[in-house]
Amino acid sequence: MTARVAVLASGGGTNLQALLDAGTGEAPFRITRVISNRSDAGALDRARRAGLAAVVLRNPGDAAELTAALGDSDLAVLAGYLKLVPAAVVARFRWRMINIHPALLPGFGGDGMYGSRVHAAVLASGATVTGASVHYVDEAFDRGPVIAQWPVPVRPGDTPDALAARVLAVEHRLLPAVAAELARRGFPPGVRLHLSGAAFASGDSPSLDLR
Ligand code: GRF
C-alpha cells in the first residue's frame, strides 16, 4: 500500500519539494495534500505546480479544522511549519506525525528556535557539530522522540546562512528517507533509525542508508 502523506509548511517549502520529488514511482509514499497557515507560503505554489490540493488554515489552533484538512492521511509531515499542533490532532496522529528540525535535538530546539536563530545559536555555542533531526511530534515544539539524525560539521568562519545551507542539503535527503522507511514499516510506534556509512554528509556522499 502506498502511504498518503500530508505536508504542513509555513515557508518556501524546499523540504516539501524534496518529498514531492521522492514520492514517485516505486516509493512507498505519495504526497497527497499540502497544508499551510499562510496564504503566501511558497510551499503552496509548489503544491499547485504538482497538481495537489493546497489548503490554507483559517485557524491553525482549531483541532477540527486541521483534522479535516489532514483527512485520510496516513502520515503528516511538518516541514518548516511554525505553528503548534493542537493536542487533539497530536493524539489522533500519534506515531504518524513527524517534524524536521535543523539542529541535533534536544539541543537548539523549542519555542522560537526556527530559521537562522537556530544556526546563530549553534555558532554562538561554539559547537563543532550540528545537523538535522526528524522526530515525532508531541504537544510541545521540537520535543517528541527523535527518529533519525544526520550530523553536519560546523566550519571555521561559518555564518548562520552558510550553516543553514549545509544543513538544509542534508534535510532534503533525510526527510524523504525517513518518510519512506516509516511507510515501508507501516508506522509502528517509536521507530528509531540510524544512519550507516559516513558520519558527515557532503554534497556527494553515498546513498543514505537508514536502519
Ligand atoms: C527547514 O530548515 C526546516 O528544518 C525548518 O524550517 C526550514 C524549512 O525550510 N523546520 P523549507 O520551507 O522546507 O525550505
Side-chain angles (χ1 to χ4, degrees):
M1 196 197 83
T2 307
R4 294 172 297 255
V5 177
V7 177
L8 290 87
S10 304
T14 64
N15 277 291
L16 164 64
Q17 192 64 52
L19 288 162
L20 286 167
D21 294 345
T24 60
E26 298 296 301
F29 70 89
R30 292 285 182 278
I31 307 305
T32 52
R33 300 158 182 260
V34 175
I35 300 167
S36 185
N37 60 304
R38 296 183 57 131
S39 58
D40 61 349
L44 295 173
D45 297 324
R46 294 181 193 271
R48 292 184 193 110
R49 278 203 294 276
L52 289 175
V55 175
V56 179
L57 299 172
R58 262 178 304 192
N59 175 7
D62 180 341
E65 185 186 5
L66 182 51
T67 299
L70 289 166
D72 63 358
S73 304
D74 300 304
L75 175 70
V77 178
L78 277 55
Y81 183 66
L82 297 179
K83 294 290 180 182
L84 200 62
V85 176
V89 182
V90 170
R92 192 183 176 94
F93 276 80
R94 185 76 64 195
W95 309 121
R96 295 189 299 123
M97 181 174 274
I98 66 176
N99 176 49
I100 182 136
H101 185 75
L104 295 178
L105 294 172
F108 307 106
D111 199 5
M113 276 299 235
Y114 60 88
S116 65
R117 293 184 198 186
V118 176
H119 306 290
V122 168
L123 291 175
S125 78
T128 54
V129 180
T130 183
S133 302
V134 178
H135 67 96
Y136 290 109
V137 172
D138 74 3
E139 295 78 8
F141 285 112
D142 304 328
R143 189 187 64 180
V146 167
I147 303 169
Q149 294 182 311
W150 189 332
V152 171
V154 178
R155 301 223 166 95
D158 265 347
T159 60
D161 281 354
L163 202 49
R166 196 175 307 127
V167 173
L168 192 61
V170 159
E171 294 182 48
H172 293 163
R173 297 183 60 199
L174 184 64
L175 187 56
V178 170
E181 191 57 27
L182 294 179
R184 233 174 258 127
R185 294 182 185 207
F187 309 106
V191 172
R192 181 70 166 94
L193 301 171
H194 298 277
L195 283 179
S196 66
F200 284 129
S202 69
D204 55 0
S205 61
S207 68
L208 175 56
D209 191 11
L210 282 174
R211 292 159 202 271

